[in-house]
């Protein structure tokens, strides 16, 4: 019995949702897939999938087995690449998943030069704020903030992003200047909601070594950072935005930074930065193409971002 092929059939059936769909993904007949499943169950002496004419469901043993074997084929391929071509020119598909704002404003401008440096790579950038499954979506590396980290991923700190509270001159002229983060309860705040779980992105501040969070009064809410930026630019209220997004608007005067210094020159409060991480499915995912991408980010972002990736 070819155990690896029977396991491959089992994985494809589970991921595709049916024997017919799994067979199409494998390029073999449904009968061959059914035979492979039967051989695997006979080998294990356990029922993995309960099949009827209308439905297919994993048994408890099937769920446990799938969790253990779902990455086996990918791991074998990556392990072979690591030992057989460690010094070769990076090639093939490189899929990078990122939070929307970081992907659009930081990664997208950097990728063309990276592609020119490694022309044998076919690069795909996924930008969204939902939970991305590395295995099911064939993602090589993802960029995530702290709130998106998952226990099963290998994560290493990439950078610390400064954040700035700001508002437009028009909004401040009508609503007044908030004298401290505590005064935000009397202002309209533009708040980001995580698409995955519906939580608000809290506004953290540091003062005299102590962390505290601002309380919101009236809010405008969006699950898109660029939409919140446009609201701020159009007198919508006070926003808390990453420096890489807001810097051009501060330089042009379209937005005004808040809470930087008091009349005495002492900081009112420091806006809490956000940590960003590079995540891999496991140690076998650190292929040559992923490693050169990580090194490229370190080179481009530099010390100003607090970069220090080590995996």
């Amino acid at each position: 019995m070819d155990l690896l092929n029977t396991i491959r059939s089992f994985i494809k059936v589970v991921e595709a949702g049916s024997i017919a769909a799994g067979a199409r993904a494998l390029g073999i007949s449904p009968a061959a897939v059914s035979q492979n499943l039967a051989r695997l169950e006979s080998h294990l002496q356990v029922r993995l999938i309960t099949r009827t004419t209308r439905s297919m469901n994993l048994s408890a043993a099937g769920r446990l087995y799938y969790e253990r074997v779902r990455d086996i084929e990918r791991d074998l391929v990556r392990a072979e690449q690591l030992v057989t071509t460690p010094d070769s020119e990076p090639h093939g598909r490189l899929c990078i998943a990122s939070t929307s704002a970081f992907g659009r404003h930081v990664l997208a401008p950097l990728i063309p030069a990276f592609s020119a440096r490694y022309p044998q790579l076919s690069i795909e950038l996924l930008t969204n704020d939902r939970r991305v499954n590395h295995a099911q979506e064939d993602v090589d590396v993802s960029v995530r903030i702290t709130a998106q980290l998952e226990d099963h991923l290998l994560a290493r700190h990439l950078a610390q992003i400064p954040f700035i509270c700001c508002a437009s001159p028009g909004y401040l002229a009508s609503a007044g200047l908030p004298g401290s983060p505590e005064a935000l309860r009397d202002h309209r705040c533009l708040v980001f909601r995580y698409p995955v779980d519906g939580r608000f992105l809290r506004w953290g501040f540091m003062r005299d070594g102590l962390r505290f969070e601002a309380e919101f009064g009236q809010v405008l809410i969006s699950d898109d950072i660029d939409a919140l930026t446009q609201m701020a630019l159009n007198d919508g209220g006070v926003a808390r935005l990453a420096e890489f997004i807001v810097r051009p608007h501060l330089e042009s005067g379209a937005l005004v930074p808040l809470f930087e210094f008091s009349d005495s020159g002492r900081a009112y409060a420091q806006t809490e930065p956000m940590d960003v991480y590079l995540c891999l499915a496991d140690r076998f995912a650190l292929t040559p193409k992923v490693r050169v991408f990580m090194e490229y980010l370190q080179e481009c972002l530099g010390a100003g971002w607090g970069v220090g990736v080590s995996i």
Side-chain angles (χ1 to χ4, degrees):
M1 181 184 69
D2 186 341
L3 183 58
L4 184 56
N5 270 332
T6 64
I7 293 174
R8 182 184 291 115
S9 291
F10 170 68
I11 293 170
K12 290 299 183 183
V13 166
V14 174
E15 292 178 347
S18 71
I19 289 176
R24 286 194 296 271
L26 290 166
I28 60 179
S29 69
V33 171
S34 293
Q35 290 172 1
N36 283 339
L37 291 178
R39 292 188 186 100
L40 182 60
E41 289 177 332
S42 176
H43 170 73
L44 296 172
Q45 292 295 296
V46 67
R47 175 70 68 183
L48 298 174
I49 298 176
T50 302
R51 302 180 285 280
T52 69
T53 56
R54 295 187 177 182
S55 66
M56 185 198 77
N57 296 293
L58 277 176
S59 66
R63 285 193 295 271
L64 178 62
Y65 192 70
Y66 174 71
E67 289 299 318
R68 296 295 184 182
V69 303
R70 63 182 181 181
D71 297 330
I72 191 169
E73 185 175 14
R74 183 201 64 189
D75 289 346
L76 286 172
V77 171
R78 288 176 172 170
E80 182 177 347
Q81 290 174 342
L82 285 174
V83 299
T84 59
T85 57
D87 299 319
S88 64
E89 178 76 10
H91 62 279
R93 176 178 178 269
L94 174 63
C95 184
I96 307 157
S98 172
T99 58
S100 295
F102 194 87
R104 292 172 187 164
H105 295 274
V106 179
L107 295 184
L110 297 177
I111 283 177
F114 177 71
S115 178
R117 183 180 296 186
Y118 299 102
Q120 295 187 54
L121 284 177
S122 174
I123 301 168
E124 181 174 354
L125 175 63
L126 308 178
T127 59
N128 58 69
D129 294 301
R130 62 176 173 81
R131 185 172 286 113
V132 174
N133 187 302
H134 278 227
Q136 292 182 0
E137 300 180 55
D138 200 19
V139 169
D140 294 290
V141 59
S142 62
V143 180
R144 304 185 181 211
I145 60 176
T146 303
Q148 297 172 319
L149 295 181
E150 299 176 55
D151 291 340
H152 66 276
L153 294 176
L154 183 63
R156 290 295 182 269
H157 189 263
L158 170 62
Q160 192 169 72
I161 301 173
F163 269 65
I164 296 174
C165 280
C166 56
S168 67
Y171 172 80
L172 296 175
S174 62
L177 183 71
S180 68
E182 288 84 352
L184 290 173
R185 64 173 66 95
D186 300 319
H187 282 262
R188 187 166 60 241
C189 296
L190 311 179
V191 182
F192 178 78
R193 187 193 295 276
Y194 289 110
V196 174
D197 55 20
R199 290 179 299 150
F200 286 159
L201 176 60
R202 305 303 304 176
W203 292 12
F205 295 88
M206 298 294 296
R207 180 191 289 128
D208 298 328
L210 299 176
R211 182 187 183 277
F212 64 99
E213 292 184 355
E215 295 181 15
F216 302 135
Q218 183 184 3
V219 294
L220 294 178
I221 303 165
S222 178
D223 64 353
D224 184 272
I225 293 295
D226 289 329
L228 292 173
T229 304
Q230 290 302 313
M231 292 181 192
L233 290 167
N234 288 277
D235 306 336
V238 178
R240 177 180 177 270
L241 301 170
E243 185 178 30
F244 63 76
I245 294 175
V246 78
R247 178 56 57 191
H249 304 304
L250 297 178
E251 292 174 352
S252 70
L255 293 175
V256 177
L258 305 175
F259 316 135
E260 290 193 320
F261 298 99
S262 65
D263 293 339
S264 64
R266 182 170 177 266
Y268 283 120
Q270 293 179 323
T271 304
E272 184 179 41
M274 179 177 287
D275 291 305
V276 177
Y277 298 82
L278 282 174
C279 297
L280 304 177
D282 50 48
R283 60 190 177 88
F284 290 117
L286 188 57
T287 56
K289 61 185 178 181
V290 171
R291 185 177 294 279
V292 296
F293 175 68
M294 290 180 169
E295 292 171 351
Y296 178 75
L297 285 186
Q298 289 180 290
E299 173 189 330
C300 292
L301 299 182
W305 286 70
V307 175
V309 179
S310 177
I311 293 183

